[in-house]
Amino acid sequence: MKDSPLINKSNEVLKACKELRATKCEGVLINQFIRSGTSIGANIREAFYAHSKADFVSKLQIALKECYETEYWIELLIDGGYYNNKEIHKKCIEIKKNIDFIN
């Protein structure tokens, strides 16, 4: 489970939030970003323990929705000049593609 590339990529949110706190970014933006970003990995992990195929798909669909929200916060942080590391945006897109592929 710890070797899951999807979970590993979603864990990048925590590193990014540490960087954002150091730049005195708006706390509200950081909180929204961390909530949606960490929810991706949590829902992917829940999918591993799904009770049925429908439950598995449901958890991945929630993770996908959280990924879209996280992408919004990343774009807002970049456009607002708070964050300039576009790698996390690329990882978010990769996660979306991988979840879409599984669904």
Side-chain angles (χ1 to χ4, degrees), residues 43-76:
N43 280 289
I44 291 169
R45 188 168 218 175
E46 282 187 58
F48 283 118
Y49 297 101
H51 297 295
S52 64
K53 185 175 180 176
D55 188 29
F56 175 79
V57 170
S58 174
K59 295 299 180 196
L60 287 182
Q61 287 174 336
I62 293 168
L64 183 61
K65 288 169 56 175
E66 293 293 337
C67 201
Y68 276 100
E69 180 181 344
T70 302
E71 185 178 28
Y72 166 76
W73 293 113
I74 292 168
E75 290 168 356
L76 196 61

